[in-house]
Amino acid sequence: PLVPVSVLLREAAVEGYAVGAFNCSNLEIVQAIVAAAEAEKAPVIMQASQGAIKYAGVDYIAAMVRVAARGARVPVALHLDHGTSFDQVVRCLVAGFSSVMIDGSHLPLEQNIALTRRVVSAARPVGVSVEAELGRIGGVEDDIAVTDREAFFTDPEEARYFVEQTGVDSLAVAIGTAHGRYKGEPRLDFDRLTRIKELVPVPLVLHGASGVPDEAIREAIRRGVRKINIDTNIREAFVGAVRHKLDENPQEIDPRKILGPAREAAIEVIREKMRVFGCSGKV
Ligand code: G3H
Ligand code: 13P
Ligand code: ZN
Ligand code: NA
């Protein structure tokens, strides 16, 4: 059975590592994530973004992940990434997701609290854990001026109040990461992360971790991050292998000969991340 993310993060907190949360929207990447977790003996979270839901649909994703988890000797969670509404959360609960994120970070604080509370009240009775977001993580494409950057960061006092008011199981924080590829090297506000950790009793989540140097990832884990989201680095590895294969053999028309090597490339990058996160060998 699929395991709630909260259960995996509780164990991660005891031992001081982070669990990888990897985005998936097709068969090959689902298989790559579970194969990597098995090879590393690591607990793992598979997550479906808004784009994944549009592309494959909630039911296909849930079915693929359920089959992957059934054959696995490691615990597997299925998580909704950046859930947009209460209705979408309910659709995921019905489809068998073991965890959901509700992203009300664009809302005024009290509205974010109200929406998140409503999601917690629906998910908790059915044993599904809830992640919420406070502060704006955004994408590199948002192009926020450096001086305005911190206005979007998570405020530690507000985070304490938010978690108290909502009862969420984990909190995604904005400390300088962004979705997608970075132009330069990301600079993370570690002092802020530590302050949030001191005030907030639940595990913290780092989004936009593709492209963050390994040493910064390790520092974030030392300071209390317990779930780390990776999407872009998998896409790069997967599509890079597709390109390579097609360059090598432009006549290839068997999708399996193209996507098989792409799946292998995804496995490698996911395994490397798991070693950095410290979750390897924890099962
Ligand atoms: O939410 C974070 C994802 O990396 C964005 O994914 O393009 O599949 O919605 P998407
Ligand atoms: P990256 O694409 O930067 O890895 O971010 C993934 C993410 O945070 C998904 O929620
Ligand atoms: Zn994210
Ligand atoms: Na990123």
Side-chain angles (χ1 to χ4, degrees):
L2 298 169
V3 182
V5 167
S6 56
V7 171
L8 301 182
L9 302 193
R10 209 168 296 140
E11 286 167 24
V14 172
E15 291 204 41
Y17 61 91
V19 181
F22 302 98
N23 285 79
C24 57
S25 41
N26 64 11
L27 171 70
E28 286 78 11
I29 292 179
V30 167
Q31 290 177 322
I33 297 165
V34 78
E38 292 238 80
E40 291 298 322
K41 298 186 169 39
V44 72
I45 300 162
M46 297 202 220
Q47 58 187 13
S49 68
Q50 297 307 303
I53 290 171
K54 268 190 217 109
Y55 179 77
V58 160
D59 290 333
Y60 269 97
I61 293 168
M64 287 191 292
V65 171
R66 211 176 284 119
V67 170
R70 195 180 295 149
R73 288 169 299 265
V74 296
V76 175
L78 173 57
H79 179 74
L80 168 64
D81 192 25
H82 296 281
T84 49
S85 68
F86 181 79
D87 287 6
Q88 181 174 65
V89 164
V90 170
R91 282 195 290 278
C92 290
L93 298 180
V94 171
F97 281 50
S98 61
S99 183
V100 292
M101 175 184 188
I102 182 71
D103 182 355
S105 62
H106 55 287
L107 298 170
L109 179 63
E110 292 301 330
Q111 286 177 40
N112 188 359
I113 289 173
L115 175 62
T116 303
R117 277 176 89 126
R118 188 153 174 248
V119 165
V120 169
S121 73
R124 174 122 339 127
V126 291
V128 167
S129 54
V130 180
E131 173 182 333
E133 178 173 326
L134 192 61
R136 298 297 298 278
I137 292 159
V140 283
E141 72 280 7
D142 291 352
D143 232 343
I144 298 157
V146 187
T147 41
D148 299 341
R149 217 170 66 111
E150 297 204 359
F152 293 88
F153 285 4
T154 306
D155 179 80
E157 291 292 346
E158 210 168 88
R160 185 226 306 258
Y161 174 72
F162 181 88
V163 169
E164 259 171 28
Q165 291 295 309
T166 57
V168 279
D169 298 286
S170 60
L171 185 69
V173 293
I175 57 162
T177 58
H179 294 109
R181 297 173 102 148
Y182 295 96
K183 282 162 197 155
E185 202 168 280
R187 283 179 298 109
L188 305 198
D189 188 343
F190 288 118
D191 291 341
R192 183 181 298 266
L193 177 58
T194 293
R195 187 78 187 123
I196 298 168
K197 171 73 188 159
E198 283 165 1
L199 296 179
V200 166
V202 299
L204 304 179
V205 181
L206 192 67
H207 284 243
S210 292
V212 177
D214 293 350
E215 203 30 65
I217 294 280
R218 290 193 192 95
E219 185 62 29
I221 296 169
R222 281 194 286 273
R223 292 174 187 251
V225 164
R226 297 293 167 243
K227 172 176 178 279
I228 302 183
N229 291 4
I230 296 283
D231 188 349
T232 299
N233 284 157
I234 300 176
R235 298 181 189 201
E236 290 167 343
F238 193 88
V239 177
V242 167
R243 272 200 189 92
H244 179 75
K245 189 71 198 173
L246 290 176
D247 282 347
E248 220 176 34
N249 185 0
Q251 308 307 320
E252 185 57 67
I253 55 119
D254 184 342
R256 298 164 298 190
K257 301 252 170 68
I258 301 164
L259 299 179
R263 180 172 59 192
E264 291 305 312
I267 292 173
E268 278 320 302
V269 73
I270 295 164
R271 291 188 65 173
E272 283 163 23
K273 295 296 174 186
M274 287 171 163
R275 289 183 216 127
V276 174
F277 299 168
C279 57
S280 289
K282 297 299 182 183
V283 177

